[in-house]
Amino acid sequence: MLSRSLLYLSILVVVRNGGALKLEESEVVDQFYSTSIVSMEDLLEFHADLLFQLNSYIDVLRARMKLIRRIADYMMEHDHIVNLEDHSLNYFHLVRHMHKDWAHVLELMEQPLGKSQLLFLKESRPHYPSAWDLEEGSLGIHRMQKTYQLQPKDMVRGLLDGVHHGTRFSTLECFTVARAIYKKHRYHDAVTWLEETLSLYDQASEQTKENYQILGFDVSQANNLYIKGLMHLNRYKDALKAIDRDPKPYLRRLRDRVEMRMMSTIDLPLEKPNPPLTGLQLCCRGGCPYRDMHRLTCSYNTTAAPFLRLAPFKTEILSLSPYMVLYHGVITPLESLTLKNLSKPHMKRRAMTFNKQKLRPLIDSGRTSNSVWLTSHENTVMERLERRVGVMTNFEMENSEVYQLINYGIGGHYKPHTDHFETPQALEHRGGGDRIATVLFYLSDVPQGGATLFPRLNISVQPRQGDALLWYNLNDRGQGEIGTVHTSCPIIQGSKWALVKWIDELSQPFRRPCNR
């Protein structure tokens, strides 16, 4: 099975044509592809439309070539007029032929070809992935690399965290990721990706190299960036070797710079940092440190409501302080599919503002996802879920926040955060008070990556369709539980769909009184 993250970045590179990573001043972005797999599915269809138009354009060119070939054959068959006899009919034949036939050939050759196909491509240009999309997708790949301690040489061959996927990176994808990382001044990682870029290029066939040139890629760009990266790391001897491999004249000046730097500095090559694995890295890989679980239980909940005697909740208590429980099989596959299908047309990039002067998005890179807000009365499925959440939590649902349906993109993640509000100022305009609890429904399976992680509790929950995770954000004194800091691990394979419900505290005076 293909790793979608690698596949979709490849499509971004192809559609974007490997352009610069900077978002142009004139580029207005109204759709984001790399932050949601839903958008990627639209992009796949768009890519198919572009290929259809390109093939149609080729068919038009072939038809014109065929027509011109027939005219040329006709001209050669009547070439006897060049050997004129002294005859008025032959003179007239030549005059008419030169005036009419060749004028028609000129008119035919001047006619524009593929007008409809060219018009489609021009009108579609605003819907291409933006430079921001390409950069965000590249950084998503880098995020996967750092979180799961992956090696670029394995990633480009489809080996991700011990699982081999049926996809590979080309030179173009490698170079795109390398440039995005270089732009962030991560020179150690950028140099590694550039080494893979040059290695893949050397292994490519001559035909493939010609195709890269047609698409605007010049290997000297990669080699030049590689040399500059080596210089940032004080690896001057390696930089000179790289210069010697590329005979381009402009690199001679770069050689002079490198040699001068070598003579004027005593700095040693910078070693790549090798810090110990963080708790987030360990838990995202399924290796959370041991925690005491002797008081935690699994059970069937049959008492919260009468209907549970026939269909009890399967509950798994994950933590007592703060209280956290995982419900199994509380939302059906049909309900999940219905919510996803109804929400797809309305999904938008969240956690962002817009700079109107420069026409560029200002986006919180800590969250790569698209989402949509759903009320409890949105449809019959939401009405059922609202009642179900009330039974699961024993909380009053009235006046609580609306639901948020989320879908993540390439290397999709959410930085560590709490759901409760950490300052009184943040609560000033909230009528329902703070968020006493959170319910997180999983609407899809995620085969690899994408776990919901509570690093302070060493709890990691892998998304599985039908499950729902409940935790209390506030203790019994109404204070925020710092242990509920949570994050979403980067997704390696699959599409992560989640539905979030935040329950407000001021509606719960008789359900969970504060012990102040």
Side-chain angles (χ1 to χ4, degrees):
M1 184 175 182
L2 292 177
S3 170
R4 292 190 175 189
S5 297
L6 299 182
L7 173 63
Y8 292 147
L9 182 62
S10 301
I11 294 174
L12 283 175
V13 172
V14 171
V15 176
R16 186 67 192 174
N17 192 27
L21 290 176
K22 291 183 179 179
L23 188 59
E24 300 296 334
E25 296 285 340
S26 60
E27 187 172 13
V28 180
V29 180
D30 58 2
Q31 184 171 6
F32 298 92
Y33 291 103
S34 59
T35 54
S36 173
I37 299 302
V38 172
S39 301
M40 287 296 179
E41 292 170 354
D42 295 337
L43 188 60
L44 280 171
E45 296 179 4
F46 182 36
H47 184 250
D49 292 339
L50 291 176
L51 285 178
F52 174 79
Q53 294 296 329
L54 182 60
N55 286 322
S56 298
Y57 184 68
I58 293 172
D59 292 339
V60 171
L61 293 178
R62 284 175 175 169
R64 179 60 58 86
M65 287 294 297
K66 185 176 181 180
L67 178 60
I68 294 175
R69 180 76 265 171
R70 288 177 57 187
I71 293 174
D73 292 342
Y74 172 82
M75 297 292 193
M76 287 186 287
E77 288 175 4
H78 297 77
D79 195 37
H80 62 277
I81 60 174
V82 299
N83 300 313
L84 290 176
E85 298 178 3
D86 188 11
H87 198 289
S88 295
L89 295 180
N90 281 336
Y91 292 150
F92 179 77
H93 182 87
L94 177 61
V95 171
R96 188 214 62 80
H97 175 66
M98 296 297 295
H99 177 74
K100 287 288 187 179
D101 295 346
W102 281 106
H104 178 69
V105 171
L106 176 61
E107 180 182 348
L108 185 65
M109 295 178 68
E110 287 180 339
Q111 289 179 0
L113 299 178
K115 294 176 65 175
S116 63
Q117 291 82 8
L118 291 173
L119 180 62
F120 178 85
L121 293 178
K122 288 181 179 179
E123 292 180 346
S124 300
R125 187 66 183 87
H127 303 290
Y128 288 9
S130 67
W132 182 92
D133 265 310
L134 199 57
E135 183 171 354
E136 177 62 27
S138 299
L139 296 179
I141 297 297
H142 185 237
R143 188 182 306 117
M144 289 166 46
Q145 174 194 351
K146 302 304 289 183
T147 301
Y148 298 104
Q149 294 292 289
L150 307 179
Q151 298 299 321
K153 64 180 180 181
D154 295 328
M155 297 181 71
V156 300
R157 291 160 180 80
L159 182 61
L160 305 176
D161 201 23
V163 179
H164 201 284
H165 302 269
T167 189
R168 300 172 70 92
F169 262 9
S170 71
T171 300
L172 300 182
E173 284 86 51
C174 271
F175 185 49
T176 302
V177 173
R179 283 204 299 184
I181 300 173
Y182 186 93
K183 182 180 175 182
K184 296 296 182 180
H185 310 294
R186 311 277 180 84
Y187 299 118
H188 285 289
D189 291 332
V191 163
T192 305
W193 278 96
L194 287 165
E195 288 173 346
E196 290 301 319
T197 300
L198 297 171
S199 175
L200 289 176
Y201 184 83
D202 291 340
Q203 298 171 25
S205 65
E206 292 302 320
Q207 180 64 49
T208 300
K209 293 178 181 178
E210 290 178 6
N211 293 339
Y212 290 158
Q213 291 179 348
I214 293 172
L215 292 173
F217 173 76
D218 185 352
V219 69
S220 294
Q221 298 173 350
N223 199 39
N224 190 28
L225 199 64
Y226 177 57
I227 294 167
K228 291 180 178 178
L230 293 173
M231 292 175 65
H232 278 293
L233 300 178
N234 299 336
R235 293 172 55 183
Y236 302 117
K237 291 183 179 180
D238 292 331
L240 290 176
K241 292 179 181 178
I243 291 173
D244 292 338
R245 287 198 299 266
D246 194 333
K248 292 293 178 64
Y250 75 91
L251 287 179
R252 295 173 185 171
R253 295 190 298 272
L254 190 57
R255 166 179 274 279
D256 294 338
R257 287 176 53 195
V258 174
E259 290 176 342
M260 289 180 61
R261 188 80 63 84
M262 287 182 66
M263 292 186 294
S264 62
T265 184
I266 59 173
D267 294 336
L268 297 174
L270 298 178
E271 297 292 334
K272 184 175 182 179
N274 188 26
L277 294 179
T278 64
L280 187 148
Q281 290 172 318
L282 286 171
C283 289
C284 281
R285 300 182 66 182
C288 280
Y290 173 80
R291 61 192 182 94
D292 187 6
M293 302 175 62
H294 75 278
R295 297 177 60 194
L296 306 182
T297 60
C298 296
S299 63
Y300 286 97
N301 185 340
T302 60
T303 59
F307 81 89
L308 292 181
R309 295 181 181 180
L310 297 176
F313 286 142
K314 302 174 185 176
T315 62
E316 180 182 353
I317 298 178
L318 301 181
S319 173
L320 296 175
S321 180
Y323 181 73
M324 184 181 301
V325 60
L326 180 65
Y327 293 91
H328 296 276
V330 292
I331 182 169
T332 68
L334 181 59
E335 289 172 329
S336 298
L337 182 62
T338 300
L339 292 178
K340 289 189 288 186
N341 289 338
L342 291 176
S343 301
K344 282 180 180 180
H346 310 290
M347 302 288 283
K348 297 293 182 182
R349 178 69 161 100
R350 301 297 172 184
M352 62 173 289
T353 58
F354 202 80
N355 187 324
K356 294 182 179 180
Q357 294 181 343
K358 294 187 175 182
L359 300 178
R360 67 174 59 191
L362 302 175
I363 300 173
D364 179 9
S365 60
R367 184 176 189 176
T368 53
S369 65
N370 287 9
S371 61
V372 63
W373 299 101
L374 300 174
T375 68
S376 58
H377 305 293
E378 195 85 22
N379 50 56
T380 56
V381 174
M382 293 304 302
E383 291 174 355
R384 289 200 302 269
L385 282 182
E386 181 80 349
R387 293 192 296 269
R388 203 172 300 164
V389 171
V391 174
M392 290 164 53
T393 63
N394 196 33
F395 283 136
E396 179 63 52
M397 292 293 103
E398 193 170 349
N399 300 323
S400 284
E401 296 183 47
V402 297
Y403 292 79
Q404 187 181 40
L405 192 145
I406 306 169
N407 180 247
Y408 292 84
I410 296 177
H413 81 126
Y414 196 173
K415 66 183 180 182
H417 65 284
T418 59
D419 286 353
H420 63 265
F421 295 90
E422 299 179 350
T423 62
Q425 292 76 14
L427 295 171
E428 288 180 356
H429 303 290
R430 289 181 53 82
D434 211 339
R435 295 166 172 171
I436 192 172
T438 299
V439 180
L440 177 64
F441 289 95
Y442 296 113
L443 307 186
S444 64
D445 294 328
V446 181
Q448 200 175 5
T452 302
L453 172 64
F454 296 80
R456 291 177 178 267
L457 304 176
N458 291 332
I459 294 177
S460 175
V461 179
Q462 188 66 27
R464 188 173 65 176
Q465 191 283 317
D467 290 355
L469 184 63
L470 162 68
W471 68 88
Y472 287 179
N473 297 305
L474 306 179
N475 60 24
D476 58 4
R477 298 179 64 86
Q479 300 168 335
E481 288 274 16
I482 191 62
T484 61
V485 170
H486 57 286
T487 183
S488 178
C489 298
I491 298 166
I492 295 179
Q493 180 186 1
S495 177
K496 182 178 179 180
W497 288 84
L499 181 69
V500 185
K501 174 69 171 181
W502 293 288
I503 302 173
D504 292 340
E505 64 173 335
L506 295 187
S507 300
Q508 320 303 329
F510 303 108
R511 300 296 182 97
R512 194 192 183 205
C514 284
N515 181 24
R516 298 187 187 273

